């Protein structure tokens, strides 16, 4: 019985490292290959995760995760540095319908 707390801590540490999110229009995505940043200065963008090898973004807007495809790192860097991350999203990322410059319906979606 004295080893039970040690086993529990070991299993908890392993569990805490694994994270998946449910992305609207895609489904569950494992965030292991992504570099994620929690955002506290925006009322719209709460988290931004970027997989540079696939130029793939997963962003949490309020409580919902969305994905954007073939987004170059300089655009992600501009977004993270923008005075208004919500305004940057609306004008430079989202676009309208399939007109969005990084819309995954018209760009390559990575497979994991």
């Amino acid at each position: 019985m004295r080893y039970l707390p040690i086993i529990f801590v070991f299993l908890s540490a392993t569990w805490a490292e694994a994270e998946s999110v449910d992305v609207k229009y895609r489904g569950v995505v494992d965030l292991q290959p992504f570099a994620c940043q929690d955002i506290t200065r925006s009322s719209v963008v709460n988290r931004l995760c970027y997989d540079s090898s696939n130029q793939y973004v997963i962003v949490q807007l309020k409580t919902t995760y969305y994905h954007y495809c073939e987004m170059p790192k300089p655009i992600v860097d501009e977004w993270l540095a923008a005075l208004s991350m919500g305004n940057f999203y609306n004008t430079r990322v989202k676009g309208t319908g399939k007109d969005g410059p990084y819309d995954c319906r018209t760009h390559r979606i990575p497979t994991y």
Side-chain angles (χ1 to χ4, degrees):
M1 286 301 243
R2 67 182 183 175
Y3 296 107
L4 188 58
I6 294 170
I7 292 170
F8 179 74
V9 168
F10 176 73
L11 291 175
S12 295
T14 303
W15 175 258
E17 292 173 11
E19 182 182 7
S20 296
V21 295
D22 189 13
V23 178
K24 192 166 186 171
Y25 310 119
R26 166 129 194 199
V28 176
V29 176
D30 178 5
L31 294 180
Q32 190 276 327
F34 291 80
C36 294
Q37 294 187 31
D38 292 329
I39 308 297
T40 58
R41 63 183 184 85
S42 174
S43 61
V44 176
V45 179
N46 290 327
R47 190 172 194 203
L48 195 143
C49 300
Y50 186 61
D51 174 5
S52 59
S53 65
N54 287 298
Q55 295 187 319
Y56 187 51
V57 169
I58 293 178
V59 61
Q60 184 183 27
L61 304 175
K62 303 228 183 234
T63 60
T64 304
Y65 283 93
Y66 297 91
H67 64 153
Y68 293 92
C69 297
E70 296 185 28
M71 185 181 293
K73 179 147 179 25
I75 299 298
V76 174
D77 292 341
E78 283 182 51
W79 192 359
L80 289 168
L83 290 176
S84 170
M85 294 183 78
N87 187 48
F88 188 93
Y89 169 76
N90 285 323
T91 59
R92 302 277 309 275
V93 176
K94 181 181 175 185
T96 56
K98 290 186 181 181
D99 295 334
Y102 309 105
D103 192 305
C104 291
R105 292 174 288 184
T106 57
H107 291 73
R108 181 187 62 82
I109 299 174
T111 57
Y112 293 99

